[in-house]
Amino acid sequence: MALDIQISEKEAQVYTVALKGEINTETYTALANEFKNIVPKAKAIVMDMAEVTYISSMGLSTFFRAKIELEERAATIALINVQPSVQLVFDSTKFMGPQLFATLEQADEYLDKFLDGVQKGKIKPKIRPS
């Protein structure tokens, strides 16, 4: 099954990415390529996972790399509308932590607080250990 990716810029440097299909060994590269385009310039990315039916370890790795790159620049990623079977996969890895939300409104509230913290200097870029 193909992976459909729709990207919109909600506001300056805040992107919404709606995914439809499976994120597996055949489709994860399409998502990775899109991340290459938006992660370097994003303050925040909201991933709408409502129509994602499956995610493989390669898909998880793609999210993990994007999350690390964003955090190194004091930016963030949030996942919304995650289906229960996909949520179990994210929950088992625990790397998304508190960035999984049931609704866009919850994610917006998180992003408002996060971006305010960045602007006020309370949230700093994470430094990767050498």
Side-chain angles (χ1 to χ4, degrees):
M1 175 180 225
L3 179 64
D4 182 49
I5 305 169
Q6 299 295 319
I7 300 172
S8 59
E9 194 168 5
K10 185 176 172 182
E11 59 184 73
Q13 299 176 296
V14 177
Y15 297 89
T16 299
V17 180
L19 302 174
K20 182 179 181 180
E22 296 183 355
I23 307 170
N24 57 36
T25 55
E26 296 173 2
T27 62
Y28 81 94
T29 54
L31 180 58
N33 288 334
E34 293 296 342
F35 276 156
K36 285 179 189 175
N37 293 326
I38 63 172
V39 167
K41 56 188 173 184
K43 292 189 295 188
I45 299 174
V46 177
M47 304 294 300
D48 188 343
M49 306 283 287
E51 297 189 60
V52 174
T53 57
Y54 174 83
I55 187 164
S56 71
S57 60
M58 294 305 291
L60 284 173
S61 177
T62 303
F63 277 93
F64 182 72
R65 284 192 298 275
K67 182 178 187 277
I68 295 299
E69 186 177 340
L70 287 162
E71 288 176 347
E72 288 175 347
R73 297 185 306 89
T76 193
I77 187 169
L79 279 60
I80 61 170
N81 302 321
V82 182
Q83 297 301 311
S85 60
V86 175
Q87 173 105 24
L88 283 171
V89 176
F90 279 105
D91 288 347
S92 69
T93 64
K94 298 190 184 342
F95 80 83
M96 285 307 294
Q99 293 153 291
L100 288 167
F101 302 96
T103 66
L104 181 57
E105 291 78 23
Q106 291 173 338
D108 280 344
E109 185 177 313
Y110 162 78
L111 292 175
D112 287 344
K113 289 178 184 175
F114 180 87
L115 295 173
D116 185 55
V118 170
Q119 191 172 33
K120 291 179 178 172
K122 294 177 183 175
I123 297 175
K124 306 267 187 216
K126 289 188 177 179
I127 310 237
R128 195 184 309 189
S130 303

